[in-house]
């Protein structure tokens, strides 16, 4: 359940890849994510107490969400081999930021038993891979899922920012304010993504018109 937002990131990150590369992107991204969780588990309780960490992470996830929205709603397909690693890089960045709470729950469930911890993390791989594969296929058929996925990531970003220890200590926001921030970021990611996509498309159209060769009669 906790890994659902990570599956969304992976599915959106590999959507623009050719179908042959998607499987590798999902496997490499999921594998890297699991390895990161093994490392982060040993520091999870300390990480959650660090001020500004979740605040900075929320800002980073907002950027990732907007970038994936723009990439996911574009018509062009990516065929350069280098973009496989770009997708994996995005997955790793997002997973580092988003996995702290998840890792703390896994660490608590394993009660410090390293074997149970590793067994649980390894068992999670097929679930994340399967969910990511299904989502990436559904995104091809139903592009609206890209919008929903971006909104989910925006909600995660807003939640991270509003629950940062420094923000809570300084503002002490009520529960309704936390929900309002989550909704604001969920909607904001989609709105900003659409605006930047239209702006980029407009600039590309203008550039194409300027560079259009002059036909000589």
């Amino acid at each position: 359940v906790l890994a659902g937002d990570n599956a969304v990131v992976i599915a959106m990150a590999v959507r623009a890849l050719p179908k042959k590369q998607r499987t590798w992107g999902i496997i490499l991204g999921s594998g890297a994510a699991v390895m990161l969780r093994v490392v982060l588990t040993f520091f999870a309780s300390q990480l959650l107490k660090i001020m500004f960490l979740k605040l900075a992470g929320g800002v980073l996830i907002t950027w990732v969400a907007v970038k994936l929205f723009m990439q996911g709603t574009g018509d062009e397909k990516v065929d350069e081999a280098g973009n496989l690693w770009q997708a994996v890089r995005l997955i790793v960045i997002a997973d580092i930021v988003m996995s702290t709470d998840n890792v703390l729950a896994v660490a608590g469930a394993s009660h410090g038993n390293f074997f149970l911890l590793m067994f649980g993390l390894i068992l999670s791989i097929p679930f994340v891979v399967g969910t990511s594969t299904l989502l990436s296929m559904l995104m091809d058929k139903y592009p609206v899922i890209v919008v929903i996925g971006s909104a989910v990531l925006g909600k995660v970003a807003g939640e991270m920012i509003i629950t940062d220890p420094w923000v809570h200590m300084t503002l002490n926001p009520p529960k309704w304010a936390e929900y309002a921030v989550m909704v604001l970021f969920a909607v904001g990611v989609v709105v900003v993504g659409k605006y930047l996509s239209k702006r980029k498309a407009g600039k590309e159209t203008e550039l194409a018109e300027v560079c259009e060769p002059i036909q000589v009669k």
Side-chain angles (χ1 to χ4, degrees):
V1 174
L2 287 170
D5 47 11
N6 300 82
V8 170
V9 168
I10 294 172
M12 294 184 68
V14 302
R15 181 179 180 267
L17 294 174
K19 291 187 177 180
K20 290 181 180 179
Q21 290 189 356
R22 280 189 191 182
T23 303
W24 278 112
I26 291 171
I27 291 173
L28 292 172
S30 301
V34 170
M35 291 303 297
L36 282 169
R37 286 170 190 218
V38 173
V39 176
L40 287 174
T41 298
F42 297 100
F43 308 100
S45 58
Q46 287 77 23
L47 286 172
L48 286 175
K49 297 175 185 176
I50 299 176
M51 291 186 180
F52 303 111
L53 180 66
K54 294 178 77 175
L55 179 63
V59 174
L60 185 58
I61 286 296
T62 304
W63 170 77
V64 170
V66 171
K67 187 175 181 65
L68 289 177
F69 177 86
M70 294 175 64
Q71 177 180 292
T73 53
D75 294 328
E76 58 190 64
K77 289 290 181 180
V78 181
D79 55 11
E80 296 92 341
N83 279 278
L84 171 63
W85 300 109
Q86 289 176 21
V88 172
R89 186 177 71 241
L90 271 179
I91 292 167
V92 170
I93 291 172
D95 203 85
I96 289 174
V97 176
M98 295 163 62
S99 289
T100 310
D101 291 339
N102 301 13
V103 164
L104 189 63
V106 173
S110 65
H111 299 291
N113 187 311
F114 184 75
F115 171 77
L116 286 177
L117 171 66
M118 291 300 299
F119 177 78
L121 289 172
I122 292 171
L123 187 64
S124 70
I125 295 177
F127 288 105
V128 175
V129 170
T131 306
S132 304
T133 303
L134 177 62
L135 280 173
S136 65
M137 291 170 61
L138 289 173
M139 285 175 184
D140 285 340
K141 194 171 184 180
Y142 307 105
V144 69
I145 297 178
V146 174
V147 179
I148 296 172
S150 299
V152 168
L153 297 182
K155 176 260 180 190
V156 171
E159 184 178 13
M160 292 185 69
I161 290 173
I162 199 65
T163 57
D164 180 82
W166 180 82
V167 175
H168 249 268
M169 185 178 65
T170 306
L171 303 178
N172 193 23
K175 207 66 181 177
W176 67 263
E178 293 184 11
Y179 291 130
V181 169
M182 293 180 206
V183 172
L184 177 65
F185 271 75
V187 175
V189 163
V190 175
V191 171
V192 172
K194 282 192 173 183
Y195 168 76
L196 292 177
S197 293
K198 287 183 179 179
R199 185 178 175 184
K200 182 180 177 182
K203 286 184 177 180
E204 288 176 352
T205 302
E206 289 178 8
L207 185 62
E209 290 175 353
V210 171
C211 296
E212 187 177 356
I214 302 173
Q215 295 182 355
V216 180
K217 294 185 179 180

